[in-house]
C-alpha cells in the first residue's frame, strides 16, 4: 500500500507538479516515460513518489519517447491504468505510436506540456506539438493554468476509460507559462480524487487468458476504412461522456468545465478565439476593450478534439468580427485552428468576418496590449463590414509587416 | 513453469498446437517452424508481441488471427517495449490483485525479424534488456527484409545479393560483415543468450524453455531460412538449415550471464561453406571465377569465428 | 481426398481465407480491430486438442488455404514409424498427431511445401507428393517399394 501523501486544502503548484499529483491520485498502474523540457518535472516528480513509496504502480524509465508510448500501448492492452508525459521533439518521436494507441482504442493519458518544434531548436511554449497530434485520433483537452492541468488530468482517465469511449486522451498545458509558474491549486483529497476517477474496468485485456486477444492486425483496403470510420465515430460520440464527466467533476470540486469556454460573449461584437494561456491574456484585454466601449469577448475550446464545431458556432455566430489566434507555424496555409473555426462559422446565417493571427512562436511573449491591438483590428472590420487587413497577419513579429490574402467580400 | 517434455519427438508431439494454420507465410517458411516450436514447448499463458515483418503481416490478417494466446503488434521497431510495458502491467496488477487469475504464470515473448532486431528496432531491444524486463526476445534471422521484398539488413552476410545490395557487373552483393548480434546481446549482461536453429529441434526447444524459465531478459537468434529470398525450393528448408549448421555458417551455442559460453552442436563432419552457398540462388554469382575471393573470405571468417567460440568455451570467462 | 475432421463440431477450414467474413460495415467491425481467438472460456486451451476447442470465427483455424496447393502430400500409414519428424517441421500445423501417433494431413491448412516428405526417414517414405486431384486409393496403389541404399 502506498504511503499517505499530506495535502493542504490550498497548494502552490506549477502545472507540472499539478499534473504529477493527478497521476499519483489516479493510482496509475504503469507510467512509462522519458524526460524532455518542459515536461521533465512531471516524470521527476513521479520518480520522487516512487522513491518515497507514494505510488504502488510500476515506473518504467525507457530509452526514448517512442519506447515510452510503445510501452504504454503494451501496458494499456494488458488491462490497467496508464499515463505518461512529453513535449515537442519527444511528442514528435511518439507520433507513430500515437496513431497506433488510438487505433487500438487504448485509454492512455498523455500530459503534453506544449513546446515549439525544431528547427531552429527552441524549448519554449508554442502549440506546434499540440497541432501535430490533431489528426492522431486522441481526445485533446487544453488547460489554461495549473489548476486546470490538475483537474483535466483527473477527468482524462474517467473520459478515456469509459467503455463507450475507450480512447486515449491528451491534456495540454503551455510550456513554462503554465508548467513552471507556481499558482494556487485546490486539490481534491486522495480519496475524493480516486473515487471520482474510479477503478479501470479493462476491455480486451491481454492478461485475461480466458479470452486471448490479438491486437494490431493488418487491415488492407477491404477493412481499414471501416475501422478508421468506427474510430472517428467513437471520437465524435465522446462528447456526451465528456460533458457528463465535467458535470460530475463540478459536483466534487465546484469547478465547472465546458467544451467551449466563452467569456463575455453574450453581447460581444468582436471576439478572439485562442488556446492555452493566451485565453487568460485575451480575457484581460477584453475587459479593457469594454472599458473603451468596445464589446469584446473571448472564446476558447477546452476540448480541442473532438473539435467543438457546434459550440464554436453557437458561441460566435452573432459576432461581427472574429480573430483566430494560431500559436504554430502554419507551414504554407492559413492557421489550422483558423481553418477549423472558419469552417464552423461558414455554416451560420451571419457568417462573421474571420481573420487569422500567427503569434507567440517559440515562446514569444503575447501581452495584453497585443490582444487589445487585435481587438481593435476586429472593431475596424466590424465597422467597415469587411476585413480591412490582410486575412493572415503576424502579431509580435519583428521586421517588415508580414501578411497574406485580402478579402473578396469588401 | 509448465514445460512440455522434449525428451524425444514422440513426447513433444503430444503438445497441443497454439499457433494455427491458414496463416499466409510462404509454403516452407521457417518462421512458422520456429514460432510453433516456441508455442509448443510450454503450456504457460503467453503474451506475445511481434515487430512488423513477414511473421506479423501473415498471422494477423483481419479478420483472422493464427494466435491462440494474447498477441500484439504495434510497429516495426517496438515489440520489445510493448512486451516490457505488458510485463510491467502484469507486475503492477499482480501486486494489486486485479488479474483475472492471479496465480497462473505468464510468460512474455517478443518476436522480431533481423531487420527489426539488428537495425530499426535495436534501440528498443537494447533499452528493454538494460531495464531487465522478464521476457524472451526471439529474432527470426532470415538475413534480409523479406516482407518488403528482400532488401539488405545488417544481418545480410557478405556476398549475398539483395535488392539493395545487388550482385552485378561491378558488385558481388553485400560487402559488409554481418553484425554479431549474439555477442552484442550477451554484452548487455543478459542471463541467457543463444543462437539456435530449427533443424536441431531439441536444442532449440530446450533453449526456448531455458529462456522462458530464466528470470530477466533472454535473447535468442534463430536461423530462419527464407526460401523466397534465399532462392531455394521450399521443400529444402530443413536441409538448407542442416547445411547452415554443418558448415558452421550458423554455429549453435549459448552464452549464460554474458560470459559462460557453451557450444550446443559440434558437427561430426564440418562441411566446406561452398556446399551451403551453392544450395541457394542468392549466392550463385559467387561461383564466378572473379568472386572466388569472396567465398574464401567467408570460409576464413567462419573458421576464425569457430576458433573463437571454442576458445571462449574452454576459457569459461 | 482423405478428410481428417476429428469430430462433428470441428470448425477447421470452414472459411475461405480471401473472402474473409461477409464484408460487414463500420458499425459491426470489432473495436480497435481486436480479434478474440476463442468463444467462451478459453483458459484451458493449452490442454485441449484442437478438435476440443471453441474457436471463434476469427481464428485462422477456421480458414482454409487448400487452394494454395498444386501438389499434396499423401500419407501411407503402413510405412510410418511415428517418428514425428513431419509434425515438428510442418510450417503450417498440418500434421495431425494424436497420442504420439501420426494420423494424417490437415488438408485445409497444408500448403503443399513438401517439407514433411523431405524429413520423413522411412524407406520407402511414408509421405509422398501427388497431384492435387489424385485420390487416396490410387495414390496408395502407386506407392514405391523399399529402395536399396545407393552410393
Ligand atoms: C517505421 C517503418 N519503416 C519501414 C517499414 C517497412 N517494413 C516493414 S517490414 C520491413 C522489413 C522486415 O524485415 P525483417 O525485420 O527482417 O523481417 P522479415 O520480414 O524478414 O521476417 C520493412 C522495411 C515499416 N513497416 N515501418
Ligand atoms: S518471404 Fe521468406 S520469410 Fe517471408 S514468408 Fe516467405 S519464406 Fe517466410
Ligand atoms: S506439405 Fe508442407 S504444409 Fe503440407 S503437411 Fe507437409 S509440411 Fe505441412
Ligand atoms: S515423418 Fe514419416 S515416419 Fe515420421 S511420423 Fe511422419 S510420416 Fe511417419
Ligand atoms: Mg528478415
Amino acid at each position: 500500500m502506498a504511503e499517505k501523501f499530506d495535502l493542504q486544502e490550498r497548494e502552490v503548484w506549477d502545472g507540472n507538479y499539478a499534473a504529477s499529483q493527478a497521476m499519483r491520485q489516479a493510482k496509475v498502474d504503469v507510467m512509462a516515460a522519458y524526460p524532455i523540457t518542459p515536461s521533465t518535472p512531471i516524470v521527476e516528480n513521479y520518480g520522487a513518489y516512487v522513491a518515497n513509496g507514494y505510488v504502488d504502480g510500476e515506473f518504467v524509465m525507457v530509452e526514448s519517447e517512442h519506447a515510452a508510448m510503445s510501452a504504454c500501448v503494451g501496458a494499456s492492452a494488458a488491462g490497467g491504468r496508464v499515463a505518461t508525459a512529453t513535449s515537442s521533439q519527444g511528442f514528435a518521436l511518439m507520433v507513430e505510436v500515437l496513431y497506433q494507441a488510438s487505433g487500438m482504442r487504448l485509454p492512455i493519458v498523455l500530459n503534453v506540456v506544449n513546446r515549439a518544434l525544431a528547427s531552429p531548436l527552441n524549448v519554449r511554449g508554442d502549440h506546434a506539438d499540440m497541432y501535430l497530434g490533431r489528426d492522431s485520433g486522441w481526445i485533446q483537452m487544453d488547460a489554461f493554468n495549473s489548476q486546470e492541468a490538475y483537474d483535466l488530468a483527473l477527468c482524462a482517465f474517467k473520459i478515456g476509460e469509459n467503455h463507450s469511449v475507450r480512447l486515449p486522451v491528451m491534456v495540454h498545458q503551455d510550456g513554462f507559462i503554465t508548467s513552471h509558474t507556481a499558482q494556487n491549486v485546490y486539490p481534491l483529497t486522495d480519496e475524493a480524487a480516486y473515487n471520482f476517477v474510479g477503478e479501470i474496468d479493462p476491455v480486451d485485456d491481454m492478461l485475461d487468458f480466458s479470452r486471448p486477444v490479438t491486437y494490431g492486425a493488418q487491415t488492407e483496403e477491404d477493412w481499414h476504412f471501416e475501422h478508421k470510420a468506427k474510430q472517428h465515430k467513437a471520437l465524435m460520440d465522446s462528447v456526451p461522456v465528456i460533458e457528463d464527466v465535467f458535470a460530475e467533476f463540478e459536483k466534487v470540486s465546484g469547478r465547472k468545465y465546458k467544451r467551449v469556454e466563452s467569456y463575455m460573449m453574450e453581447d460581444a461584437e468582436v471576439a478572439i478565439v485562442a488556446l492555452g494561456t493566451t485565453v487568460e491574456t485575451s480575457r484581460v484585454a477584453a475587459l479593457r476593450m469594454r472599458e473603451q466601449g468596445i464589446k469584446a469577448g473571448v472564446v476558447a475550446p477546452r476540448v480541442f478534439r473532438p473539435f467543438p464545431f457546434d459550440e464554436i458556432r453557437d458561441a460566435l455566430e452573432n459576432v461581427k468580427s472574429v480573430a483566430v489566434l494560431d500559436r504554430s507555424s502554419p507551414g504554407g496555409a492559413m492557421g489550422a485552428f483558423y481553418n477549423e473555426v472558419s469552417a464552423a462559422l461558414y455554416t451560420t446565417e451571419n457568417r462573421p468576418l474571420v481573420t487569422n493571427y500567427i503569434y507567440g512562436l517559440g515562446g514569444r511573449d503575447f501581452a495584453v496590449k497585443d490582444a487589445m491591438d487585435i481587438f481593435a483590428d476586429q472593431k475596424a472590420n466590424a465597422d467597415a463590414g469587411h476585413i480591412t487587413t490582410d486575412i493572415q497577419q503576424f502579431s509580435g513579429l519583428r521586421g517588415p509587416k508580414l501578411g497574406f490574402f485580402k478579402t473578396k467580400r469588401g | 513453469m509448465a514445460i512440455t517434455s522434449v525428451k524425444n519427438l514422440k513426447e513433444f508431439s503430444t503438445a497441443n498446437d497454439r499457433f494455427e494454420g491458414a496463416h499466409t507465410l510462404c509454403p516452407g517458411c521457417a518462421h512458422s517452424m520456429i514460432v510453433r516450436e516456441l508455442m509448443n514447448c510450454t503450456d504457460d499463458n503467453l503474451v506475445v508481441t511481434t515487430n512488423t515483418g513477414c511473421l506479423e503481416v501473415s498471422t494477423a490478417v483481419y479478420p483472422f488471427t493464427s494466435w491462440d494466446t494474447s498477441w500484439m503488434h504495434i510497429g516495426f521497431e517496438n515489440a520489445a517495449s510493448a512486451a516490457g510495458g505488458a510485463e510491467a502491467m502484469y507486475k503492477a496488477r499482480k501486486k494489486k490483485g486485479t488479474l483475472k487469475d492471479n496465480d497462473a504464470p505468464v510468460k512474455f515473448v517478443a518476436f522480431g525479424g533481423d531487420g527489426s532486431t539488428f537495425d530499426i528496432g535495436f534501440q528498443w531491444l537494447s533499452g528493454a534488456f538494460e531495464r531487465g524486463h522478464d521476457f524472451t526476445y526471439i529474432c527470426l534471422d532470415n538475413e534480409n527484409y523479406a516482407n518488403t521484398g528482400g532488401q539488405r539488413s545488417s544481418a545480410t552476410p557478405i556476398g549475398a545479393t539483395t535488392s539493395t545490395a545487388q550482385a552485378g557487373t561491378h558488385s558481388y552483393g553485400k560487402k559488409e560483415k554481418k553484425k554479431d548480434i549474439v555477442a552484442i546481446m550477451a554484452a548487455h549482461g543478459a542471463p541467457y543468450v543463444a543462437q539456435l536453429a530449427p533443424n536441431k529441434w531439441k536444442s532449440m526447444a530446450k533453449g526456448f524453455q531455458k529462456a522462458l524459465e530464466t528470470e530477466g531478459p533472454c535473447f535468442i537468434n534463430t536461423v530462419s531460412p527464407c526460401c523466397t529470398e534465399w532462392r531455394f525450393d521450399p521443400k529444402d528448408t530443413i536441409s538448407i538449415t542442416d547445411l547452415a549448421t554443418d558448415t558452421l555458417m550458423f554455429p549453435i551455442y549459448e552464452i549464460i550471464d554474458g560470459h559462460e559460453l557453451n557450444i550446443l552442436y559440434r558437427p561430426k563432419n564440418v562441411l566446406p561453406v561452398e556446399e551451403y552457398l551453392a544450395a541457394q540462388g542468392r549466392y550463385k554469382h559467387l561461383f564466378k571465377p572473379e568472386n572466388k575471393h569472396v567465398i574464401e573470405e567467408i570460409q576464413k571468417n567462419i573458421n576464425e569465428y569457430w576458433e573463437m567460440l571454442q576458445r571462449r568455451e574452454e576459457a569459461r570467462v | 481426398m482423405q478428410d481428417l475432421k476429428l469430430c462433428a463440431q470441428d470448425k477447421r477450414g470452414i472459411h475461405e481465407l480471401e473472402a474473409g467474413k461477409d464484408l460487414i460495415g463500420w458499425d459491426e467491425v470489432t473495436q480497435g480491430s481486436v480479434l478474440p481467438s476463442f468463444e467462451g472460456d478459453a483458459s484451458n486451451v493449452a490442454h485441449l486438442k484442437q478438435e476440443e476447442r471453441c474457436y471463434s470465427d476469427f481464428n485462422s483455424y477456421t480458414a482454409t488455404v487448400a487452394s494454395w496447393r498444386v501438389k499434396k502430400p499423401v500419407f501411407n500409414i503402413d510405412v510410418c514409424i511415428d517418428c514425428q519428424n513431419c509434425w515438428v517441421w510442418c510450417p503450417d500445423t498440418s500434421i495431425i498427431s494424436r497420442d504420439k501417433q501420426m494420423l494424417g494431413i490437415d488438408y485445409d491448412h497444408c500448403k503443399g511445401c513438401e517439407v514433411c516428405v523431405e524429413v520423413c526417414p522411412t524407406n520407402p517414405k511414408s509421405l509422398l507428393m501427388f497431384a492435387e486431384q489424385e485420390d487416396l486409393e490410387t495414390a496408395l496403389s502407386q506407392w514405391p517399394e523399399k529402395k536399396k541404399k545407393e552410393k
Side-chain angles (χ1 to χ4, degrees):
Chain A
M1 266 293 277
E3 300 287 331
K4 174 136 184 59
F5 195 99
D6 286 324
L7 287 179
Q8 310 297 315
E9 192 193 326
R10 184 184 56 138
E11 294 279 351
V12 180
W13 288 348
D14 61 24
N16 278 330
Y17 201 75
S20 40
Q21 282 286 358
M23 302 303 105
R24 182 188 64 77
Q25 289 186 319
K27 301 188 187 173
V28 164
D29 292 302
V30 172
M31 166 90 137
Y34 194 79
I36 180 169
T37 305
S39 61
T40 300
I42 298 184
V43 186
E44 290 176 336
N45 298 335
Y46 197 83
Y49 303 150
V50 172
N52 296 296
Y54 293 121
V55 291
D56 287 329
E58 293 289 311
F59 182 47
V60 188
M61 276 310 296
V62 287
E63 77 291 342
S64 75
E65 288 85 355
H66 192 291
M69 189 45 66
S70 305
C72 285
V73 166
S76 184
R81 181 163 289 156
V82 177
T84 185
T86 196
S87 298
S88 179
Q89 309 307 127
F91 187 96
L93 195 54
M94 269 186 191
V95 166
E96 184 193 20
V97 198
L98 294 180
Y99 279 73
Q100 288 153 335
S102 62
M104 295 186 207
R105 307 286 298 272
L106 298 171
I108 298 158
V109 170
L110 169 59
N111 296 280
V112 186
V113 181
N114 294 330
R115 169 185 150 183
L117 283 171
S119 177
L121 190 66
N122 174 294
V123 298
R124 302 280 151 184
D126 75 22
H127 295 155
D129 46 9
M130 181 176 185
Y131 282 29
L132 183 58
R134 71 182 196 269
D135 289 347
S136 65
W138 287 54
I139 292 174
Q140 288 179 284
M141 300 198 288
D142 193 21
F144 312 151
N145 56 44
S146 301
Q147 179 74 61
E148 295 173 1
Y150 168 82
D151 292 349
L152 294 177
L154 290 178
C155 292
F157 292 106
K158 201 170 173 69
I159 294 167
E161 293 169 5
N162 183 295
H163 281 198
S164 63
V165 177
R166 287 288 300 181
L167 284 168
V169 185
M170 293 177 200
V171 178
H172 295 269
Q173 57 174 286
D174 280 357
F176 291 103
I177 317 177
T178 299
S179 68
H180 286 63
T181 307
Q183 297 172 321
N184 284 340
V185 174
Y186 297 85
L188 304 182
T189 63
D190 281 7
E191 295 71 31
Y194 192 72
N195 280 342
F196 167 72
V197 176
E199 273 186 28
I200 185 166
D201 180 11
V203 171
D204 295 331
D205 174 1
M206 285 208 299
L207 294 177
D208 173 4
F209 294 96
S210 71
R211 188 174 171 275
V213 281
T214 285
Y215 270 93
Q218 187 91 1
T219 61
E220 288 308 334
E221 69 278 16
D222 48 353
W223 291 103
H224 189 78
F225 196 4
E226 281 69 27
H227 283 289
K228 292 320 270 187
K230 189 184 181 95
Q231 186 191 333
H232 174 63
K233 175 85 159 58
L235 198 47
M236 294 307 241
D237 285 354
S238 66
V239 167
V241 175
I242 293 171
E243 288 172 344
D244 284 353
V245 170
F246 284 170
E248 258 189 80
F249 189 73
E250 188 186 355
K251 276 188 216 143
V252 298
S253 69
R255 292 184 289 273
K256 189 177 174 73
Y257 289 99
K258 292 192 291 203
R259 278 193 298 133
V260 169
E261 308 283 7
S262 295
Y263 182 72
M264 297 198 302
M265 286 303 297
E266 294 75 22
D267 60 343
E269 230 189 331
V270 293
I272 281 179
V273 188
L275 291 160
T277 46
T278 308
V279 175
E280 298 197 335
T281 309
S282 303
R283 286 175 182 172
V284 176
L287 271 176
R288 303 247 177 103
M289 296 311 284
R290 284 191 175 250
E291 285 163 14
Q292 298 173 18
I294 295 168
K295 289 180 185 162
V298 180
V299 170
R302 171 71 65 200
V303 178
F304 185 55
R305 285 289 182 277
F307 188 72
F309 193 90
D310 50 347
E311 295 223 325
I312 285 279
R313 189 166 57 181
D314 294 348
L316 292 165
E317 63 182 339
N318 296 320
V319 172
K320 290 192 175 140
S321 186
V322 179
V324 185
L325 277 52
D326 276 279
R327 197 169 199 165
S328 178
S329 180
M334 304 305 276
F337 188 29
Y338 168 86
N339 285 342
E340 296 187 351
V341 173
S342 301
L345 294 182
Y346 194 75
T347 66
T348 61
E349 200 69 48
N350 281 336
R351 293 199 189 153
L353 307 172
V354 197
T355 55
N356 186 204
Y357 291 81
I358 309 300
Y359 78 103
L361 300 196
R364 174 65 45 84
D365 192 33
F366 183 76
V368 174
K369 168 79 173 63
D370 300 317
M372 288 174 72
D373 289 346
I374 291 173
F375 275 129
D377 281 357
Q378 304 317 300
K379 176 64 178 155
N381 294 348
D383 290 346
H386 62 85
I387 296 170
T388 56
T389 60
D390 288 332
I391 298 176
Q392 183 177 66
Q393 300 186 73
F394 288 71
S395 168
L397 175 71
R398 287 193 305 278
K401 194 169 162 56
L402 193 59
F404 298 96
F405 302 114
K406 298 274 188 222
T407 185
K408 287 176 106 177
R409 272 168 80 180
Chain B
M1 122 152 209
I3 54 172
T4 312
S5 166
V6 294
K7 219 168 59 202
N8 56 52
L9 255 189
K10 280 195 185 203
E11 296 267 342
F12 191 21
S13 76
T14 60
N16 298 306
D17 267 292
R18 286 196 286 172
F19 179 64
E20 302 292 350
H23 51 68
T24 58
L25 290 160
C26 299
C29 177
H31 280 5
S32 57
M33 298 179 185
I34 297 161
V35 172
R36 260 191 78 218
E37 211 173 304
L38 181 277
M39 303 283 288
N40 283 338
C41 79
T42 174
D43 58 12
D44 279 348
N45 292 325
L46 296 172
V47 172
V48 178
T49 64
T50 303
N51 282 324
T52 312
C54 280
L55 179 68
E56 167 270 322
V57 301
S58 305
T59 58
V61 187
Y62 201 87
F64 291 111
T65 176
S66 303
W67 301 89
D68 290 348
T69 193
S70 294
W71 184 85
M72 167 174 268
H73 157 251
I74 313 178
F76 190 8
E77 59 288 293
N78 50 7
S81 321
E87 184 253 6
M89 183 56 79
Y90 171 67
K91 279 201 233 154
R93 291 183 66 191
K94 200 171 162 81
K95 199 157 72 176
K96 284 192 188 175
T98 63
L99 291 166
K100 191 124 186 183
D101 180 351
N102 235 40
D103 304 319
V106 181
K107 302 285 177 214
F108 296 83
V109 177
F111 285 107
D114 51 293
S116 60
T117 307
F118 289 58
D119 296 342
I120 194 168
F122 181 70
Q123 174 189 311
W124 287 254
L125 173 63
S126 178
F129 270 61
E130 184 272 334
R131 291 190 299 277
H133 293 289
D134 187 7
F135 80 125
T136 296
Y137 187 102
I138 298 175
C139 174
L140 304 169
D141 182 5
N142 59 13
E143 304 187 317
N144 76 100
Y145 298 166
N147 181 48
T148 42
Q151 297 83 26
R152 96 191 266 286
S153 78
S154 61
T156 307
I158 294 177
T161 183
T162 65
S163 63
T164 52
Q166 289 188 28
T169 51
H170 291 62
S171 162
Y172 56 77
K174 190 169 177 250
K175 285 170 196 62
E176 304 78 19
K177 254 191 182 173
K178 178 171 181 164
K179 199 189 260 186
D180 188 351
I181 196 75
V182 179
I184 294 168
M185 295 319 294
H188 282 71
Y192 187 75
V193 169
Q195 176 158 279
L196 303 168
N199 60 325
K200 304 294 169 202
W201 70 268
K202 194 168 183 171
S203 62
M204 191 164 85
K206 283 187 163 171
F208 287 165
Q209 291 180 337
K210 219 181 228 176
L212 291 172
E213 275 175 283
T214 303
E215 207 178 312
C218 300
F219 177 87
I220 295 172
N221 194 52
T222 58
V223 190
S224 189
C226 163
C227 44
T228 306
E229 300 302 338
W230 293 15
R231 300 179 210 168
F232 62 82
D233 191 317
K235 75 176 173 21
D236 296 326
T237 300
I238 291 302
S239 57
I240 293 278
T241 324
D242 283 338
L243 289 170
T245 52
D246 287 352
T247 57
L248 295 170
M249 187 78 179
F250 276 97
I252 303 303
Y253 61 103
E254 63 184 15
I255 304 174
I256 293 161
D257 293 330
H259 60 90
E260 190 188 326
L261 191 148
N262 302 308
I263 292 170
L264 300 175
Y265 173 63
R266 248 173 262 276
K268 282 195 198 79
N269 201 351
V270 178
L271 301 174
V273 76
E274 276 96 333
E275 290 195 25
Y276 173 69
L277 304 178
Q280 304 166 55
R282 64 175 171 155
Y283 292 117
K284 200 167 137 210
H285 56 283
L286 294 188
F287 292 87
K288 289 183 189 158
E290 66 269 27
N291 290 332
K292 199 165 156 258
H293 69 101
V294 184
I295 300 186
E296 282 162 8
E297 187 182 344
I298 296 171
Q299 187 66 64
K300 184 168 150 277
N301 290 342
I302 289 176
N303 298 348
E304 285 173 4
Y305 203 83
W306 183 237
E307 175 73 23
M308 187 274 287
L309 289 179
Q310 286 176 303
R311 285 213 209 157
R312 272 197 61 187
E313 183 184 43
E314 229 174 77
R316 318 280 325 133
V317 285
Chain C
M1 192 191 294
Q2 165 201 35
D3 192 4
L4 263 180
K5 290 238 193 292
L6 293 172
C7 68
Q9 66 271 30
D10 195 346
K11 281 163 83 178
R12 166 158 45 91
I14 59 173
H15 298 299
E16 279 303 320
L17 193 64
E18 282 73 19
K21 292 265 167 319
D22 301 335
L23 291 172
I24 48 180
W26 65 265
D27 51 329
E28 288 185 274
V29 294
T30 53
Q31 175 169 305
S33 71
V34 170
L35 298 168
S37 312
F38 299 96
E39 275 161 15
D41 188 335
S43 310
N44 202 30
V45 281
H47 303 114
L48 295 179
K49 299 186 165 58
Q50 290 172 306
E51 59 276 15
E52 297 164 347
R53 299 174 181 169
C54 288
Y55 287 106
S56 81
D57 283 341
F58 298 118
N59 198 302
S60 71
Y61 181 79
T62 68
T64 177
V65 285
S67 63
W68 286 36
R69 250 183 348 252
V70 272
K71 287 186 301 176
K72 68 178 178 192
V74 172
F75 174 54
N76 186 337
I77 200 164
D78 296 336
V79 204
C80 174
I81 55 168
D82 290 317
C83 72
Q84 304 299 339
N85 276 0
C86 54
W87 174 82
V88 78
W89 283 309
C90 170
D92 290 285
T93 323
S94 299
I95 297 295
I96 301 180
S97 280
R98 296 292 179 266
D99 305 322
K100 304 182 185 177
Q101 285 187 345
M102 156 63 164
L103 300 183
I105 288 148
D106 168 352
Y107 284 116
D108 287 306
H109 298 143
C110 165
K111 294 180 187 143
C113 67
E114 210 176 329
V115 165
C116 53
V117 175
E118 280 297 304
V119 299
C120 180
T122 57
N123 183 2
K125 285 183 183 289
S126 320
L127 287 159
L128 286 172
M129 298 305 282
F130 286 86
E132 184 63 25
Q133 332 53 277
E134 197 76 271
D135 64 71
L136 181 64
E137 295 288 298
T138 326
L140 290 177
S141 71
Q142 293 168 14
W143 218 262
E145 294 294 305
K146 184 172 172 142
K147 250 199 268 174
K148 292 242 166 61
K149 274 251 156 70
E150 292 158 24
K151 285 187 234 178

